[in-house]
Amino acid sequence: MKLFRYGPAGQEKPGVLLKNGKMVDASPACSTYNGDFFSQDGFHTLEQWVEQAGDQAPEIPPDVRIGAPIERPGKIICIGLNYADHARESGMEPPAEPVLFFKATTSYCGPNDDCVIPPGSEKTDWEVELAVVVGKSLSRVSEAEAEAGIAGYMVMNDYSERAWQLERGGQWVKGKSADTFAPCGPYLVTPDEIPDVNDLNLWLEVNGERLQDGNTRELIFNIPHILSYLSQFMTLEPGDVISTGTPPGVGLGLNPPRYLKEGDVVRLGIDHLGEQQQTLVQG
Ligand code: ZN
């Protein structure tokens, strides 16, 4: 299934993209998509409702805002340098173990919301990423158990302020956490809809110029390994978001480096997961 939420920020309603391409309101089947929805087998209830009533459900208006597909997560965990080529362009060795960092959950937003360049930022950069949504509580699990605990996948842009990430001391989290720095969606796509998660093209364009063009087959650490690995250090909860790293082509890696400015338009997408677009505005 492809799930989305729509409406004004903070008041989103649940929706489903039907097989026939219609985007319909799913409020009769559930109140929202969050950790409770996943842990209480909400997918099953929703699937039954779609079969019985989906065709008669009202279509959502075409100009409505699309929100992030699930409610604000308890954690946003990111994997750094997880594509060998990107590690090289960043001037760093491919890591022996996954590199972890967090993004503040307040950075979370809808897929097409404006991205706000934080006041004082001179190095706001882009990163198209495949994000995983956790469907079950996972603590010290095997890779097989981790894979069975995935609710679905979505597109995420891991916006990054490079000076704050790399030149201010301490942890990367400073450069990763500004408001609007984690647009997610448009859809949460369940694993059964994706033929091979290790063979997905992911791309990103700035003002129509393609700058990132990667494939998940280049991941250094694959998704079950990442989830199992994370679960040795912390409990992953339903609704948590794990972003799996970015392929080459970020602004930091260009020669000379290139960063975003007011008015720039960033478009990005991943096979089977849809596309998002942000306009940069000055905060
Ligand atoms: Zn990233």
Side-chain angles (χ1 to χ4, degrees):
M1 276 193 295
K2 288 190 169 78
L3 280 50
F4 64 91
R5 297 187 312 144
Y6 71 98
Q11 301 170 46
E12 290 93 342
K13 291 179 170 182
V16 176
L17 177 68
L18 300 180
K19 297 265 186 240
N20 63 13
K22 282 188 188 166
M23 295 174 81
V24 299
D25 176 69
S27 302
C30 59
S31 57
T32 188
Y33 305 132
N34 58 14
D36 286 345
F37 174 87
F38 301 128
S39 57
Q40 293 164 13
D41 203 15
F43 281 123
H44 187 68
T45 310
L46 185 63
E47 218 158 27
Q48 284 183 322
W49 176 82
V50 166
E51 268 177 38
Q52 290 161 12
D55 278 346
Q56 292 92 53
E59 270 189 81
I60 66 156
D63 55 348
V64 75
R65 170 182 174 272
I66 302 297
I70 62 169
E71 278 188 3
R72 182 187 290 180
K75 306 184 200 65
I76 303 175
I77 312 168
C78 299
I79 310 300
L81 308 172
N82 199 22
Y83 288 76
D85 294 359
H86 174 58
R88 271 198 291 280
E89 79 174 346
S90 305
M92 301 186 200
E93 286 294 308
E97 289 192 59
V99 172
L100 309 184
F101 62 91
F102 282 88
K103 281 176 98 79
T105 56
T106 40
S107 64
Y108 188 67
C109 66
N112 305 315
D113 292 348
D114 289 345
C115 177
V116 181
I117 299 171
S121 162
E122 293 181 352
K123 296 185 178 178
T124 293
D125 200 350
W126 55 85
E127 296 190 348
V128 59
E129 302 202 5
L130 172 69
V132 181
V133 176
V134 176
K136 289 181 184 158
S137 183
L138 303 175
S139 178
R140 300 188 183 88
V141 294
S142 67
E143 293 187 13
E145 289 167 315
E147 192 159 24
I150 294 171
Y153 303 97
M154 57 187 183
V155 181
M156 179 169 132
N157 193 347
D158 176 19
Y159 277 110
S160 307
E161 212 300 332
R162 298 301 185 193
W164 302 355
Q165 175 192 350
L166 301 169
E167 300 167 22
R168 299 285 294 272
Q171 299 185 331
W172 287 6
V173 64
K174 292 177 199 173
K176 297 284 189 170
S177 293
D179 292 353
T180 73
F181 266 29
C184 287
Y187 310 113
L188 173 69
V189 180
T190 51
D192 57 292
E193 300 245 343
I194 299 174
D196 182 1
V197 76
N198 295 307
D199 186 15
L200 297 176
N201 294 306
L202 61 176
W203 55 271
L204 181 143
E205 296 173 355
V206 179
N207 302 329
E209 182 184 353
R210 183 145 312 198
L211 294 171
Q212 289 192 277
D213 216 349
N215 187 289
T216 54
R217 77 171 82 90
E218 306 295 336
L219 284 171
I220 297 172
F221 302 108
N222 70 22
I223 290 163
H225 181 78
I226 290 168
L227 266 63
S228 169
Y229 181 86
L230 281 168
S231 82
Q232 311 305 314
F233 301 98
M234 66 192 85
T235 299
L236 302 177
E237 295 185 312
D240 283 352
V241 171
I242 293 139
S243 204
T244 56
T246 198
V250 302
L252 173 71
L254 300 176
N255 187 14
R258 175 170 155 187
Y259 298 109
L260 295 165
K261 55 187 189 311
E262 185 163 35
D264 283 345
V265 175
V266 177
R267 267 184 76 225
L268 57 151
I270 303 179
D271 290 348
H272 304 286
L273 301 183
E275 295 180 16
Q276 45 177 257
Q277 176 172 309
Q278 297 96 35
T279 301
L280 276 291
V281 300
Q282 186 60 55

